[in-house]
Amino acid sequence: MGETLHAFYQHDPAFPGGAKRTGWGHAVTTLGEGTWRHLRDALYPDFLYDRNGCYSGSAAVDGERMVLLYTGNVKAGGERRATQNLVEVGDINGPAGGYFRRSPANPIIAGPAPGFTAHYRDPHVTRAADGSWRMVLGAQRVGGTGAAVMYTSEDLEAWDFAGAIEFAGLSPNAAAAYMWECPNLLRLTDEETREERDVLVICPQFPDVDECGYIVGTLTGTHFAVETDYTPLDYGHEFYAPQLINAGEGALMLGWMGLPGRDDTPSVDAEGWVHQLTLPRRVRLRGGRLYQELVLPAGADMLVERFRVGPEPRRAQLFDATGAAPLTITWTPGEGGRGTLALDKGGLPRWAECAFGEVLVTADGVEVTAADGEVAFSSAVFSTEGAPWQRLDVQ
């Protein structure tokens, strides 16, 4: 049997007709099968400390024990209060899809550390090398710049503030963001050097754009010696807030094919939903860079096409059954066995440099990888009135 994957995602059952009160949806699949079973919501904002939203977080497994950690959001009198909270999970693989009991000790972190604003959220929890637990949170300094802060724990319940992660060798671009959301901190083995490295994924927010990228290096305490500077994790039009978990020497990842505050898509009026998750991806560290492999669904009705790029220009168009072509992919060769791959969605291009090799294109939303996963693109492309995707024409 394949691996069982539980996905918890931001879900608002009143959307789009009621006031925004986001909880956690829950679905389960067998990895690679392509079918999901949707279960009852795991969390709904009905406690005093999360009444305006159960925001993002992560899961942690300690032997037979499984917990969820999330940010509770309260907005009152024009002010925000953010707390970190713990949920005990029972019978996760049972017919009901688990039972979720908030800890009576909540909130386990009652507010931001000194020097930080109430923009303090999205706990990601992993084991440290010494067997203890470490939590990384997205944060905003009082001065209005983004940060990632760390906490440590022996039991997942009592957490000590370790400090903000300080970087040596980080370019000023990501550091200038007004907020870092949805951090992920995990340790991976580099397939080329066979050495372990720390990987920090962050979502820097700027006044006019939201991004997602990663940094590779060595974390000692809260000091991060950067070896690979901030690099986009995905080059597409819509990719944000991924969740990564260790899987062997690499990781398994799901991303959000959407962006904050951008809910105006054809699915809202037509079907009452907005945004989607990417395909699961296997992520590995190679030569200080992250490579991504799409886990293709065996049983799903999805267009999957491949073509190769090399020393000659190429152009591909994605057509739906009505004959419309809402996406164009172009390849411009360069020097040294490399070139530039570009996706154009409605006149909005996104591009990245990569090596010659195979380009894999999947279409539900559109996900593209190239050069053995050196680059990936996620774009929420909609066909005409829900018409099925028909073909990819490559020239």
Side-chain angles (χ1 to χ4, degrees):
M1 294 180 63
E3 302 162 271
T4 299
L5 178 65
H6 289 265
F8 299 94
Y9 57 93
Q10 297 279 264
H11 180 232
D12 185 346
F15 179 87
K20 182 179 179 182
R21 295 186 70 207
T22 302
W24 281 28
H26 181 199
V28 63
T29 189
T30 299
L31 200 61
E33 283 191 359
T35 56
W36 289 85
R37 181 164 62 99
H38 289 267
L39 303 164
R40 63 179 182 175
D41 281 6
L43 298 176
Y44 186 75
D46 52 4
F47 280 64
L48 289 177
Y49 49 78
D50 64 13
R51 63 180 180 268
N52 294 114
C54 301
Y55 283 12
S56 298
S58 62
V61 177
D62 186 12
E64 296 298 315
R65 183 189 186 195
M66 177 181 176
V67 301
L68 306 179
L69 298 104
Y70 73 97
T71 299
N73 192 54
V74 176
K75 297 178 181 179
E79 296 185 355
R80 176 195 298 265
R81 182 182 180 220
T83 61
Q84 315 312 318
N85 302 285
L86 180 74
V87 180
E88 298 282 352
V89 182
D91 198 25
I92 187 65
N93 291 313
Y99 300 96
F100 305 90
R101 183 180 64 85
R102 287 172 172 82
S103 170
N106 283 344
I108 56 171
I109 299 175
F116 296 90
T117 75
H119 290 285
Y120 205 75
R121 52 184 174 264
D122 310 326
H124 185 264
V125 175
T126 53
R127 277 204 185 274
D130 63 2
S132 64
W133 296 94
R134 63 184 184 185
M135 175 195 295
V136 60
L137 286 168
Q140 182 188 61
R141 294 185 176 88
V142 170
T145 57
V149 300
M150 277 187 58
Y151 286 78
T152 59
S153 175
E154 296 297 328
D155 60 4
L156 292 169
E157 297 178 28
W159 292 87
D160 296 317
F161 180 63
I165 299 178
E166 303 295 340
F167 297 88
L170 181 65
S171 66
N173 294 338
Y178 70 79
M179 173 68 189
W180 287 4
E181 286 196 310
C182 302
N184 289 241
L185 177 62
L186 63 167
R187 196 159 179 82
L188 301 179
T189 300
D190 192 302
E191 292 182 348
E192 287 189 1
T193 66
R194 307 306 306 167
E195 296 176 340
E196 289 191 338
R197 288 294 181 266
D198 293 293
V199 179
L200 178 67
V201 174
I202 56 173
C203 293
Q205 294 187 292
F206 300 90
D208 58 346
V209 68
D210 301 303
E211 298 183 357
C212 181
Y214 66 92
I215 305 159
V216 180
T218 302
L219 181 67
T220 306
T222 58
H223 177 84
F224 200 112
V226 176
E227 297 175 11
T228 301
D229 203 355
Y230 176 81
T231 302
L233 185 56
D234 187 290
Y235 292 86
H237 297 80
E238 287 90 14
F239 183 88
Y240 199 73
Q243 280 284 311
L244 291 88
I245 56 174
N246 284 104
E249 294 184 346
L252 190 66
M253 180 177 76
L254 278 172
W256 172 27
M257 201 182 296
L259 290 169
R262 303 185 191 182
D263 295 341
D264 185 17
T265 69
S267 65
V268 178
D269 292 334
E271 300 180 42
W273 62 269
V274 65
H275 306 311
Q276 65 192 78
L277 297 180
T278 66
L279 291 170
R281 301 181 188 182
R282 295 200 181 275
V283 180
R284 60 194 190 277
L285 182 64
R286 180 191 299 170
R289 293 180 62 94
L290 293 183
Y291 284 70
Q292 302 173 55
E293 176 190 358
L294 304 180
V295 180
L296 296 177
D301 183 15
M302 174 180 287
L303 182 144
V304 179
E305 298 285 353
R306 292 177 171 84
F307 65 97
R308 297 194 66 82
V309 293
E312 300 296 329
R314 302 211 73 175
R315 184 173 185 268
Q317 285 186 289
L318 178 64
F319 286 88
D320 66 30
T322 72
L327 184 80
T328 300
I329 303 172
T330 57
W331 166 256
T332 305
E335 298 180 354
R338 300 182 67 80
T340 300
L341 190 71
L343 273 66
D344 189 296
K345 168 189 165 183
L348 297 173
R350 296 290 187 270
W351 61 89
E353 180 186 303
C354 62
F356 293 178
E358 182 180 82
V359 177
L360 170 64
V361 181
T362 69
D364 178 7
V366 171
E367 295 180 65
V368 176
T369 60
D372 196 27
E374 180 186 352
V375 297
F377 297 80
S378 299
S379 296
V381 180
F382 290 86
S383 61
T384 305
E385 297 182 351
W389 296 113
Q390 189 174 69
R391 68 188 191 278
L392 184 75
D393 279 359
V394 183
Q395 300 175 354

